[in-house]
Coordinates of all heavy atoms in Angstrom, one line a residue:
M146 N 10.2 -7.7 -7.8 CA 8.8 -7.5 -8.2 C 8.7 -6.1 -8.6 O 9.4 -5.2 -8.2 CB 8.0 -7.9 -6.9 CG 7.0 -7.0 -6.4 SD 6.1 -7.5 -5.0 CE 7.2 -8.0 -3.8
K147 N 7.7 -5.9 -9.4 CA 7.4 -4.5 -9.9 C 5.9 -4.3 -9.8 O 5.1 -5.1 -10.2 CB 7.8 -4.4 -11.4 CG 7.4 -3.1 -12.1 CD 7.8 -3.1 -13.5 CE 7.3 -2.0 -14.3 NZ 7.7 -2.0 -15.7
V148 N 5.5 -3.2 -9.1 CA 4.1 -2.8 -8.9 C 3.9 -1.4 -9.3 O 4.8 -0.6 -9.2 CB 3.6 -3.1 -7.5 CG1 3.7 -4.6 -7.1 CG2 4.4 -2.3 -6.5
I149 N 2.7 -1.1 -9.6 CA 2.3 0.3 -9.9 C 1.4 0.7 -8.7 O 0.4 0.1 -8.4 CB 1.5 0.4 -11.2 CG1 2.3 0.0 -12.4 CG2 1.0 1.9 -11.4 CD1 1.6 -0.1 -13.7
I150 N 1.8 1.8 -8.0 CA 1.1 2.3 -6.9 C 0.3 3.6 -7.4 O 0.9 4.5 -8.0 CB 2.1 2.8 -5.7 CG1 3.0 1.6 -5.4 CG2 1.3 3.3 -4.5 CD1 2.4 0.4 -4.8
K151 N -1.0 3.6 -7.1 CA -1.8 4.7 -7.5 C -2.2 5.5 -6.2 O -2.9 5.0 -5.4 CB -3.0 4.3 -8.2 CG -3.7 5.4 -9.0 CD -4.9 4.8 -9.7 CE -4.5 4.0 -10.9 NZ -5.6 3.7 -11.8
H152 N -1.6 6.7 -6.0 CA -1.9 7.5 -4.8 C -3.1 8.3 -5.1 O -3.1 9.1 -6.1 CB -0.7 8.4 -4.5 CG 0.6 7.7 -4.2 ND1 0.9 7.4 -2.9 CD2 1.6 7.3 -4.9 CE1 2.1 6.8 -2.9 NE2 2.5 6.7 -4.1
L153 N -4.1 8.3 -4.2 CA -5.3 9.2 -4.3 C -5.0 10.4 -3.5 O -4.8 10.2 -2.3 CB -6.5 8.5 -3.8 CG -6.9 7.2 -4.6 CD1 -8.2 6.6 -4.1 CD2 -7.1 7.5 -6.1
L154 N -4.9 11.5 -4.1 CA -4.4 12.7 -3.4 C -5.4 13.5 -2.7 O -5.3 13.8 -1.5 CB -3.6 13.6 -4.4 CG -2.4 12.8 -5.1 CD1 -1.8 13.7 -6.1 CD2 -1.4 12.4 -4.1
K155 N -6.4 14.0 -3.4 CA -7.5 14.7 -2.8 C -8.7 14.7 -3.7 O -8.6 14.4 -4.9 CB -7.1 16.2 -2.6 CG -6.8 17.0 -3.8 CD -6.3 18.4 -3.5 CE -6.0 19.1 -4.7 NZ -5.7 20.5 -4.5
K156 N -9.9 14.9 -3.1 CA -11.1 14.9 -3.8 C -11.2 16.2 -4.7 O -10.9 17.3 -4.3 CB -12.3 14.9 -2.9 CG -13.5 14.3 -3.4 CD -14.5 13.9 -2.4 CE -15.6 13.1 -3.0 NZ -16.5 12.4 -2.1
T157 N -11.7 16.0 -5.9 CA -11.9 17.1 -6.9 C -13.3 17.6 -6.8 O -14.2 17.0 -6.2 CB -11.6 16.6 -8.3 OG1 -12.5 15.6 -8.7 CG2 -10.1 16.1 -8.4
R158 N -13.5 18.7 -7.4 CA -14.9 19.4 -7.4 C -15.9 18.5 -8.1 O -17.0 18.5 -7.8 CB -14.8 20.7 -8.1 CG -14.1 21.7 -7.2 CD -14.1 23.1 -7.9 NE -13.4 24.0 -7.0 CZ -13.0 25.2 -7.4 NH1 -13.3 25.6 -8.6 NH2 -12.4 26.0 -6.6
S159 N -15.4 17.7 -9.1 CA -16.3 16.8 -9.9 C -16.7 15.5 -9.1 O -17.5 14.7 -9.6 CB -15.7 16.5 -11.2 OG -14.5 15.7 -11.0
G160 N -16.1 15.3 -7.9 CA -16.4 14.2 -7.1 C -15.4 13.0 -7.3 O -15.4 12.1 -6.5
G161 N -14.4 13.1 -8.2 CA -13.4 12.1 -8.4 C -12.2 12.4 -7.4 O -12.3 13.2 -6.5
Y162 N -11.1 11.8 -7.7 CA -9.9 12.1 -6.9 C -8.7 12.4 -7.9 O -8.5 11.8 -8.9 CB -9.5 10.8 -6.1 CG -10.3 10.6 -4.9 CD1 -11.5 9.8 -5.0 CD2 -10.0 11.2 -3.7 CE1 -12.2 9.5 -3.9 CE2 -10.8 10.9 -2.6 CZ -11.9 10.1 -2.7 OH -12.7 9.9 -1.6
A163 N -7.9 13.4 -7.4 CA -6.7 13.7 -8.1 C -5.7 12.5 -7.7 O -5.8 12.1 -6.6 CB -6.1 15.0 -7.7
Q164 N -5.0 12.0 -8.7 CA -4.1 10.9 -8.4 C -2.8 11.0 -9.0 O -2.6 11.7 -10.0 CB -4.8 9.6 -8.7 CG -5.4 9.5 -10.1 CD -6.2 8.2 -10.3 OE1 -6.0 7.2 -9.6 NE2 -7.2 8.3 -11.2
R165 N -1.8 10.2 -8.5 CA -0.5 10.1 -9.0 C -0.1 8.7 -9.0 O -0.3 7.9 -8.1 CB 0.4 10.9 -8.1 CG 1.9 10.8 -8.4 CD 2.7 11.7 -7.4 NE 2.6 11.3 -6.0 CZ 3.3 10.4 -5.4 NH1 4.3 9.7 -6.0 NH2 3.2 10.2 -4.1
E166 N 0.6 8.2 -10.1 CA 1.1 6.8 -10.2 C 2.6 6.8 -10.0 O 3.3 7.7 -10.3 CB 0.7 6.2 -11.6 CG -0.7 5.9 -11.7 CD -1.0 5.1 -13.0 OE1 -0.1 4.8 -13.8 OE2 -2.2 4.8 -13.2
E167 N 3.0 5.7 -9.3 CA 4.4 5.5 -9.0 C 4.7 4.0 -9.3 O 4.0 3.1 -8.9 CB 4.6 5.8 -7.6 CG 6.0 5.5 -7.0 CD 6.0 5.8 -5.5 OE1 5.0 6.1 -4.9 OE2 7.2 5.8 -5.0
V168 N 5.8 3.8 -10.1 CA 6.2 2.4 -10.4 C 7.3 2.1 -9.4 O 8.3 2.9 -9.2 CB 6.7 2.3 -11.8 CG1 7.3 0.9 -12.0 CG2 5.6 2.6 -12.8
V169 N 7.2 1.0 -8.6 CA 8.2 0.6 -7.6 C 8.7 -0.8 -8.0 O 7.9 -1.7 -8.2 CB 7.5 0.6 -6.2 CG1 8.5 0.2 -5.2 CG2 7.0 2.0 -5.9
K170 N 10.0 -0.9 -8.0 CA 10.7 -2.2 -8.2 C 11.5 -2.5 -7.0 O 12.4 -1.8 -6.6 CB 11.6 -2.2 -9.4 CG 10.9 -2.1 -10.7 CD 12.0 -2.1 -11.8 CE 11.5 -2.4 -13.2 NZ 12.6 -2.4 -14.2
A171 N 11.3 -3.7 -6.4 CA 12.1 -4.1 -5.2 C 11.7 -5.6 -4.9 O 10.6 -6.0 -5.2 CB 11.8 -3.2 -4.0
P172 N 12.6 -6.3 -4.2 CA 12.2 -7.7 -3.8 C 11.0 -7.7 -2.9 O 10.1 -8.6 -3.0 CB 13.4 -8.2 -3.1 CG 14.5 -7.3 -3.5 CD 13.9 -6.0 -3.8
N173 N 11.0 -6.8 -1.9 CA 9.8 -6.6 -1.0 C 9.5 -5.1 -1.0 O 10.5 -4.3 -1.0 CB 10.2 -7.0 0.4 CG 10.4 -8.5 0.5 OD1 9.8 -9.3 -0.1 ND2 11.4 -8.9 1.3
I174 N 8.3 -4.8 -0.9 CA 7.9 -3.3 -1.0 C 7.3 -3.0 0.4 O 6.3 -3.6 0.8 CB 7.0 -3.1 -2.1 CG1 7.7 -3.4 -3.4 CG2 6.5 -1.6 -2.1 CD1 6.8 -3.3 -4.7
R175 N 7.9 -2.0 1.0 CA 7.4 -1.6 2.3 C 6.7 -0.2 2.2 O 7.2 0.7 1.5 CB 8.6 -1.5 3.3 CG 9.2 -2.8 3.5 CD 10.6 -2.7 4.2 NE 11.5 -2.0 3.3 CZ 12.8 -1.9 3.4 NH1 13.3 -2.3 4.5 NH2 13.5 -1.3 2.5
F176 N 5.6 0.0 3.0 CA 4.8 1.2 3.0 C 4.9 1.8 4.4 O 4.8 1.1 5.4 CB 3.4 0.9 2.7 CG 3.1 0.5 1.3 CD1 3.4 -0.8 0.9 CD2 2.4 1.3 0.4 CE1 3.1 -1.2 -0.4 CE2 2.1 0.9 -0.9 CZ 2.4 -0.4 -1.3
G177 N 5.1 3.1 4.5 CA 5.1 3.7 5.8 C 5.8 5.1 5.7 O 6.1 5.6 4.7
R178 N 5.9 5.7 6.9 CA 6.5 7.0 7.0 C 8.0 7.0 7.1 O 8.7 8.0 7.0 CB 6.0 7.8 8.2 CG 4.5 8.2 8.1 CD 4.1 9.0 9.3 NE 4.0 8.2 10.5 CZ 4.8 8.5 11.6 NH1 5.6 9.5 11.7 NH2 4.7 7.7 12.6
G179 N 8.6 5.8 7.4 CA 10.0 5.7 7.6 C 10.8 5.9 6.3 O 10.4 5.6 5.2
S180 N 12.1 6.3 6.5 CA 13.0 6.6 5.4 C 13.4 5.3 4.6 O 13.8 5.4 3.5 CB 14.2 7.3 5.9 OG 14.9 6.5 6.8
K181 N 13.3 4.1 5.2 CA 13.7 2.9 4.6 C 12.5 2.3 3.8 O 12.7 1.2 3.2 CB 14.2 1.9 5.6 CG 15.5 2.4 6.2 CD 16.0 1.4 7.2 CE 17.3 1.9 7.8 NZ 17.9 0.9 8.7
C182 N 11.3 2.9 3.7 CA 10.2 2.4 3.0 C 10.3 2.7 1.5 O 10.7 3.9 1.2 CB 8.9 2.9 3.6 SG 8.5 2.3 5.2
E183 N 10.0 1.8 0.7 CA 10.0 2.1 -0.8 C 8.9 3.0 -1.2 O 9.0 3.8 -2.1 CB 9.9 0.7 -1.6 CG 11.1 -0.1 -1.6 CD 11.4 -0.8 -0.3 OE1 10.4 -1.1 0.5 OE2 12.5 -1.1 0.0
V184 N 7.7 2.9 -0.5 CA 6.6 3.8 -0.7 C 6.4 4.6 0.6 O 6.0 4.1 1.6 CB 5.3 3.0 -1.0 CG1 4.1 4.0 -1.2 CG2 5.5 2.2 -2.2
H185 N 6.8 5.9 0.5 CA 6.8 6.8 1.6 C 5.5 7.5 1.7 O 5.0 8.2 0.7 CB 8.0 7.8 1.5 CG 8.1 8.7 2.7 ND1 7.6 9.9 2.8 CD2 8.7 8.4 3.9 CE1 7.9 10.4 4.0 NE2 8.5 9.5 4.7
L186 N 4.8 7.4 2.8 CA 3.5 8.1 3.1 C 3.7 9.1 4.2 O 4.3 8.8 5.3 CB 2.5 7.0 3.4 CG 2.3 5.9 2.4 CD1 1.4 4.8 2.9 CD2 1.7 6.5 1.1
T187 N 3.2 10.3 4.0 CA 3.4 11.3 5.0 C 2.3 11.5 6.1 O 2.5 12.2 7.0 CB 3.5 12.7 4.3 OG1 2.3 12.9 3.5 CG2 4.7 12.7 3.4
D188 N 1.2 10.7 5.9 CA 0.1 10.9 6.9 C 0.6 10.4 8.3 O 1.1 9.3 8.4 CB -1.1 10.0 6.4 CG -2.3 10.2 7.2 OD1 -2.3 10.3 8.4 OD2 -3.4 10.3 6.6
P189 N 0.4 11.2 9.3 CA 0.8 10.9 10.7 C 0.1 9.7 11.2 O 0.6 9.1 12.2 CB 0.6 12.1 11.5 CG -0.4 12.9 10.7 CD -0.2 12.6 9.3
R190 N -1.0 9.3 10.7 CA -1.7 8.1 11.2 C -1.0 6.8 10.7 O -1.3 5.7 11.2 CB -3.2 8.1 10.7 CG -3.9 9.2 11.3 CD -5.3 9.3 10.7 NE -5.1 9.8 9.3 CZ -6.1 10.0 8.5 NH1 -7.4 9.8 8.9 NH2 -5.9 10.5 7.3
V191 N -0.1 6.9 9.7 CA 0.6 5.7 9.1 C 1.8 5.5 10.0 O 2.5 6.4 10.3 CB 1.0 6.0 7.7 CG1 1.8 4.9 7.1 CG2 -0.3 6.1 6.8
L192 N 2.1 4.2 10.3 CA 3.3 3.9 11.1 C 4.6 4.1 10.3 O 4.5 4.1 9.1 CB 3.2 2.4 11.6 CG 2.0 2.0 12.5 CD1 2.0 0.5 12.7 CD2 2.0 2.8 13.7
L193 N 5.7 4.1 11.0 CA 7.0 4.2 10.3 C 7.1 3.0 9.3 O 7.6 3.2 8.2 CB 8.1 4.2 11.3 CG 8.2 5.5 12.1 CD1 9.4 5.3 13.1 CD2 8.5 6.7 11.3
L194 N 6.8 1.8 9.7 CA 6.7 0.7 8.8 C 5.3 0.1 9.0 O 5.0 -0.5 10.0 CB 7.8 -0.4 9.1 CG 7.7 -1.6 8.3 CD1 7.7 -1.3 6.8 CD2 8.9 -2.5 8.6
H195 N 4.4 0.3 8.1 CA 3.0 0.0 8.2 C 2.6 -1.4 7.6 O 1.9 -2.2 8.1 CB 2.1 1.1 7.6 CG 0.7 1.1 8.1 ND1 0.3 1.9 9.1 CD2 -0.3 0.4 7.7 CE1 -1.0 1.7 9.3 NE2 -1.4 0.8 8.4
L196 N 3.2 -1.6 6.4 CA 2.7 -2.7 5.5 C 3.9 -3.2 4.6 O 4.7 -2.3 4.2 CB 1.5 -2.3 4.7 CG 1.0 -3.2 3.6 CD1 0.3 -4.4 4.3 CD2 0.1 -2.5 2.7
E197 N 4.0 -4.5 4.4 CA 5.0 -5.0 3.5 C 4.3 -5.9 2.5 O 3.5 -6.7 2.8 CB 6.1 -5.7 4.2 CG 7.2 -6.2 3.4 CD 8.4 -6.7 4.2 OE1 8.2 -7.1 5.4 OE2 9.5 -6.8 3.6
I198 N 4.7 -5.8 1.2 CA 4.3 -6.7 0.2 C 5.4 -7.6 -0.2 O 6.5 -7.2 -0.4 CB 3.8 -5.9 -1.1 CG1 2.7 -5.0 -0.9 CG2 3.5 -6.9 -2.2 CD1 2.2 -4.2 -2.1
T199 N 5.1 -8.9 -0.2 CA 6.1 -9.9 -0.5 C 5.6 -10.8 -1.6 O 4.3 -10.9 -1.8 CB 6.6 -10.8 0.7 OG1 5.4 -11.5 1.2 CG2 7.2 -9.9 1.8
E200 N 6.4 -11.5 -2.3 CA 6.0 -12.4 -3.4 C 6.4 -13.8 -2.9 O 7.5 -14.1 -2.5 CB 6.7 -12.1 -4.7 CG 6.2 -13.0 -5.8 CD 6.8 -12.5 -7.2 OE1 7.7 -11.7 -7.2 OE2 6.4 -13.1 -8.2
R201 N 5.4 -14.8 -3.0 CA 5.6 -16.2 -2.7 C 4.9 -17.0 -3.7 O 3.7 -16.9 -3.9 CB 5.0 -16.5 -1.3 CG 5.6 -15.8 -0.1 CD 5.1 -16.4 1.2 NE 4.9 -15.3 2.1 CZ 4.0 -15.2 3.0 NH1 3.1 -16.2 3.2 NH2 3.9 -14.2 3.9
S202 N 5.6 -17.9 -4.3 CA 5.1 -18.8 -5.3 C 4.3 -18.1 -6.4 O 3.2 -18.5 -6.8 CB 4.2 -19.9 -4.6 OG 5.0 -20.6 -3.7
G203 N 4.7 -16.9 -6.8 CA 4.1 -16.2 -7.9 C 2.9 -15.4 -7.4 O 2.2 -14.8 -8.2
E204 N 2.5 -15.4 -6.1 CA 1.4 -14.6 -5.6 C 2.0 -13.5 -4.7 O 3.0 -13.6 -4.1 CB 0.5 -15.5 -4.7 CG -0.3 -16.5 -5.6 CD -1.3 -17.2 -4.7 OE1 -2.2 -16.5 -4.1 OE2 -1.3 -18.4 -4.6
L205 N 1.2 -12.4 -4.6 CA 1.6 -11.2 -3.8 C 0.8 -11.3 -2.4 O -0.4 -11.6 -2.4 CB 1.2 -9.9 -4.5 CG 2.0 -9.6 -5.7 CD1 1.5 -8.3 -6.3 CD2 3.5 -9.6 -5.5
Y206 N 1.6 -11.1 -1.4 CA 1.0 -11.2 0.0 C 1.3 -9.9 0.7 O 2.4 -9.3 0.6 CB 1.6 -12.3 0.8 CG 1.2 -13.7 0.4 CD1 1.9 -14.4 -0.6 CD2 0.0 -14.2 0.9 CE1 1.4 -15.6 -1.0 CE2 -0.4 -15.5 0.5 CZ 0.3 -16.2 -0.5 OH -0.1 -17.4 -0.9
L207 N 0.3 -9.4 1.4 CA 0.4 -8.2 2.2 C 0.5 -8.7 3.7 O -0.3 -9.5 4.1 CB -0.8 -7.3 2.1 CG -1.2 -6.8 0.7 CD1 -2.5 -6.0 0.8 CD2 -0.1 -6.1 0.1
I208 N 1.4 -8.1 4.4 CA 1.6 -8.4 5.9 C 1.7 -7.1 6.6 O 2.6 -6.3 6.3 CB 2.8 -9.3 6.1 CG1 2.8 -10.5 5.2 CG2 3.0 -9.6 7.6 CD1 4.1 -11.3 5.1
S209 N 0.8 -6.9 7.6 CA 0.9 -5.7 8.4 C 2.1 -5.7 9.3 O 2.5 -6.8 9.7 CB -0.4 -5.4 9.2 OG -0.5 -6.4 10.2
Q210 N 2.6 -4.6 9.7 CA 3.7 -4.5 10.6 C 3.3 -3.8 11.9 O 2.5 -2.9 11.8 CB 4.9 -3.8 9.9 CG 5.3 -4.3 8.6 CD 5.9 -5.7 8.7 OE1 6.8 -6.0 9.5 NE2 5.3 -6.6 7.9
G211 N 3.7 -4.3 13.0 CA 3.3 -3.7 14.3 C 1.8 -4.0 14.5 O 1.3 -5.0 14.2
N212 N 1.2 -3.1 15.2 CA -0.3 -3.2 15.5 C -1.1 -2.5 14.4 O -2.0 -1.7 14.8 CB -0.6 -2.7 16.9 CG -0.1 -3.6 17.9 OD1 0.0 -4.8 17.7 ND2 0.2 -3.1 19.1
S213 N -0.8 -2.7 13.2 CA -1.6 -2.0 12.1 C -2.5 -2.9 11.4 O -2.3 -4.1 11.4 CB -0.6 -1.3 11.2 OG 0.2 -2.3 10.5
D214 N -3.4 -2.3 10.7 CA -4.3 -3.1 9.8 C -4.4 -2.3 8.5 O -3.9 -1.2 8.4 CB -5.6 -3.5 10.4 CG -6.4 -2.3 10.9 OD1 -6.2 -1.2 10.4 OD2 -7.4 -2.5 11.7
F215 N -5.1 -2.9 7.6 CA -5.3 -2.3 6.3 C -6.6 -2.9 5.7 O -7.2 -3.8 6.3 CB -4.1 -2.5 5.3 CG -3.8 -4.0 5.2 CD1 -4.4 -4.8 4.2 CD2 -2.8 -4.6 6.0 CE1 -4.1 -6.1 4.0 CE2 -2.5 -5.9 5.8 CZ -3.1 -6.7 4.9
Q216 N -7.0 -2.4 4.6 CA -8.2 -2.9 3.9 C -7.8 -3.4 2.5 O -7.0 -2.7 1.8 CB -9.3 -1.8 3.8 CG -9.9 -1.4 5.1 CD -11.0 -0.4 4.8 OE1 -11.7 -0.4 3.8 NE2 -11.2 0.5 5.8
V217 N -8.4 -4.5 2.1 CA -8.3 -5.0 0.7 C -9.7 -5.1 0.2 O -10.5 -5.9 0.8 CB -7.5 -6.3 0.7 CG1 -7.5 -6.9 -0.8 CG2 -6.1 -6.2 1.2
N218 N -10.0 -4.3 -0.8 CA -11.3 -4.3 -1.4 C -12.4 -4.1 -0.3 O -13.5 -4.7 -0.3 CB -11.6 -5.5 -2.2 CG -10.6 -5.7 -3.3 OD1 -10.2 -4.7 -3.9 ND2 -10.2 -6.9 -3.6
G219 N -12.1 -3.2 0.7 CA -13.1 -2.9 1.7 C -13.1 -3.8 2.9 O -13.8 -3.5 3.9
Q220 N -12.3 -4.9 2.9 CA -12.3 -5.8 4.0 C -11.0 -5.6 4.9 O -9.9 -5.6 4.4 CB -12.2 -7.3 3.5 CG -13.4 -7.7 2.7 CD -14.7 -7.8 3.6 OE1 -14.6 -8.2 4.7 NE2 -15.8 -7.4 3.0
I221 N -11.2 -5.4 6.2 CA -10.1 -5.1 7.1 C -9.4 -6.4 7.4 O -9.9 -7.4 7.6 CB -10.7 -4.5 8.5 CG1 -11.3 -3.2 8.2 CG2 -9.5 -4.4 9.5 CD1 -12.0 -2.6 9.4
S222 N -8.0 -6.3 7.4 CA -7.2 -7.4 7.5 C -5.8 -7.0 8.1 O -5.5 -5.9 8.1 CB -7.0 -8.1 6.2 OG -6.3 -9.3 6.3
T223 N -5.1 -8.0 8.5 CA -3.7 -7.8 8.9 C -2.7 -8.6 8.0 O -1.5 -8.4 8.0 CB -3.4 -8.2 10.4 OG1 -3.8 -9.6 10.6 CG2 -4.2 -7.4 11.4
K224 N -3.3 -9.5 7.2 CA -2.5 -10.2 6.2 C -3.5 -10.7 5.1 O -4.6 -11.1 5.4 CB -1.7 -11.4 6.7 CG -2.4 -12.4 7.5 CD -1.5 -13.4 8.0 CE -2.3 -14.4 8.9 NZ -1.5 -15.5 9.4
A225 N -3.0 -10.7 3.9 CA -3.9 -11.1 2.8 C -3.1 -11.3 1.5 O -2.0 -10.8 1.3 CB -5.0 -10.0 2.5
S226 N -3.6 -12.2 0.6 CA -3.1 -12.3 -0.7 C -3.9 -11.3 -1.6 O -5.0 -11.1 -1.4 CB -3.1 -13.7 -1.2 OG -4.4 -14.1 -1.4
V227 N -3.2 -10.8 -2.6 CA -3.8 -9.8 -3.5 C -3.5 -10.2 -4.9 O -2.5 -10.9 -5.2 CB -3.4 -8.4 -3.2 CG1 -3.9 -7.9 -1.9 CG2 -1.9 -8.2 -3.2
K228 N -4.3 -9.7 -5.8 CA -4.1 -9.8 -7.3 C -4.2 -8.5 -7.9 O -4.6 -7.5 -7.3 CB -5.1 -10.8 -7.8 CG -6.6 -10.4 -7.6 CD -7.5 -11.5 -8.0 CE -9.0 -11.2 -7.8 NZ -9.4 -10.7 -6.6
P229 N -3.8 -8.4 -9.2 CA -3.8 -7.1 -9.9 C -5.2 -6.5 -9.9 O -6.2 -7.2 -10.1 CB -3.4 -7.4 -11.3 CG -2.5 -8.6 -11.2 CD -3.1 -9.4 -10.0
G230 N -5.3 -5.2 -9.6 CA -6.6 -4.5 -9.6 C -7.2 -4.4 -8.2 O -8.2 -3.7 -8.0
D231 N -6.7 -5.2 -7.2 CA -7.2 -5.1 -5.8 C -6.9 -3.7 -5.3 O -5.9 -3.1 -5.6 CB -6.7 -6.1 -4.9 CG -7.3 -7.5 -5.1 OD1 -8.3 -7.6 -5.8 OD2 -6.7 -8.5 -4.6
K232 N -7.9 -3.1 -4.5 CA -7.7 -1.8 -3.9 C -7.3 -2.0 -2.4 O -8.0 -2.6 -1.6 CB -9.1 -1.1 -3.9 CG -9.0 0.3 -3.5 CD -10.3 1.0 -3.7 CE -10.3 2.5 -3.2 NZ -11.5 3.1 -3.4
I233 N -6.1 -1.4 -2.1 CA -5.5 -1.5 -0.8 C -5.6 -0.1 -0.1 O -5.1 0.8 -0.8 CB -4.1 -2.0 -0.9 CG1 -4.0 -3.4 -1.6 CG2 -3.5 -2.1 0.5 CD1 -2.6 -3.7 -2.1
Q234 N -6.1 -0.1 1.1 CA -6.1 1.2 1.8 C -5.5 1.1 3.1 O -5.7 0.1 3.8 CB -7.6 1.6 2.0 CG -8.3 2.0 0.7 CD -9.8 2.3 1.0 OE1 -10.6 1.4 1.3 NE2 -10.1 3.6 0.9
L235 N -4.7 2.1 3.5 CA -4.0 2.1 4.8 C -4.7 3.2 5.6 O -5.2 4.2 5.1 CB -2.6 2.5 4.7 CG -1.7 1.6 3.8 CD1 -0.2 2.1 3.9 CD2 -1.7 0.2 4.3

């Protein structure tokens, strides 16, 4: 699977956010602070393995790891299916 990750870095003076894009290719994509994660996040509030994206029957699924949750388009969840353009927050 191939996804584009858009990192929001910090708020700018104009009210927007500085951002960086990253293209990630892997069968499953893991987010967290751990060294084995495809998307490495440095925030200490993020678990070593916080979230995993998998593909099933052509759809993308998010599954939290441990006792973590995340938001998809503002809704708190521990598992969810997503589509292109959905906003995921850890």
Side-chain angles (χ1 to χ4, degrees):
M146 127 180 52
K147 176 181 169 182
V148 297
I149 299 171
I150 307 295
K151 198 178 285 190
H152 298 269
L153 300 180
L154 304 173
K155 62 181 181 177
K156 203 164 193 169
T157 63
R158 289 183 181 167
S159 64
Y162 285 92
Q164 50 189 332
R165 171 179 62 89
E166 286 189 0
E167 173 183 10
V168 176
V169 179
K170 286 179 163 181
N173 295 322
I174 300 173
R175 297 166 293 189
F176 292 74
R178 289 184 294 118
S180 61
K181 295 184 179 181
C182 292
E183 287 74 24
V184 179
H185 186 259
L186 304 170
T187 59
D188 190 316
R190 296 172 290 179
V191 174
L192 300 175
L193 291 176
L194 177 54
H195 197 100
L196 174 72
E197 185 172 18
I198 298 178
T199 61
E200 185 176 7
R201 294 187 220 152
S202 303
E204 292 188 56
L205 296 178
Y206 287 92
L207 304 178
I208 303 166
S209 70
Q210 305 296 307
N212 285 333
S213 63
D214 59 18
F215 55 87
Q216 291 184 32
V217 176
N218 300 323
Q220 299 291 324
I221 296 174
S222 184
T223 57
K224 58 184 174 178
S226 65
V227 292
K228 58 189 179 310
D231 283 345
K232 186 177 180 179
I233 303 162
Q234 293 177 286
L235 303 182

